[in-house]
Amino acid sequence: MNDHTTPPTPDAVPTPALRRVHGIGRVTVALLALAGVAWAARAVWEIRLAVTGEPASGPPDQGEGVHRPLTSLENSYHLVGDVGAATALICAIAFLLWLDTVRDNARTLSGRPPRYLGLWLYAGWVIPVANLWIPRGIVADAHQDSAPGERLPRSVNVWWGLWLIGLISGVGLMYADDADDIIARAYSEPWMLLASDAAVIAAAVAGTFVVRAVTAVQQRHIDGDVRHGEAPGPAGA
């Protein structure tokens, strides 16, 4: 028996495994579109409230803990709002799972740890001030580490700008008021609500392009269209 073994050559070193991203990317795109539709429904109900006008009895919250009975339109707005909130929550979970996957893959492809490790994936969305740039940074780094030298898709900046409009306005995805307060605002200042809703809906649409662009870059590595360490070709807007 020959005990001599040939040492492995550098070419025999296996390429680090990449996590499959196509499936979660498709689910995230679909849920972003669905969240946009759900938010558009809220905007339609806010328009209906504004056109109908506030009842003579005043806003739902009468102050000092007193609430008048809701009209049928106001009741239906509560239902539409609950469906929209549930859809947004499911969408957020899918987006974070996708973001975790592409951040992991980017680390494998670049060979270096990301700027925002661990819980920054979640905390970066809620910590004041930091939430103005960290989530965008995670997405941008994932793209740049997966496709070094390639221009960042315009959709990333469009998506993030629209998200910040909804966030900073205080009437976007992170409503500070409850449904009855939003109903009162729809009666008194509908245009501010609708402008913020438009930003959120547009951010959801732009988000689908972001997910598709970053997913496509990494998927080409997974499919073997480019060798490990090389930059793929252009991948979307």
Side-chain angles (χ1 to χ4, degrees), residues 119-154:
L119 291 178
W120 279 117
L121 183 74
Y122 314 101
W125 294 89
V126 296
I127 295 179
V129 182
N131 63 354
L132 299 179
W133 74 82
I134 285 181
R136 179 201 172 276
I138 295 174
V139 173
D141 289 351
H143 182 274
Q144 299 299 75
D145 287 345
S146 303
E150 184 177 323
R151 182 173 60 85
L152 186 69
R154 289 186 297 272

Side-chain angles (χ1 to χ4, degrees), residues 19-85:
R19 296 170 61 184
R20 302 296 297 184
V21 70
H22 185 63
I24 185 61
R26 292 183 64 179
V27 170
T28 303
V29 165
L31 286 172
L32 278 166
L34 185 60
V37 171
W39 220 259
R42 292 180 69 134
V44 169
W45 254 255
E46 287 161 6
I47 292 172
R48 293 180 63 191
L49 287 165
V51 170
T52 302
E54 187 174 79
S57 53
D61 186 351
Q62 304 279 292
E64 298 182 356
V66 177
H67 287 72
R68 65 163 170 76
L70 298 176
T71 67
S72 59
L73 181 58
E74 291 167 348
N75 265 321
S76 63
Y77 180 79
H78 274 263
L79 178 59
V80 170
D82 289 344
V83 171

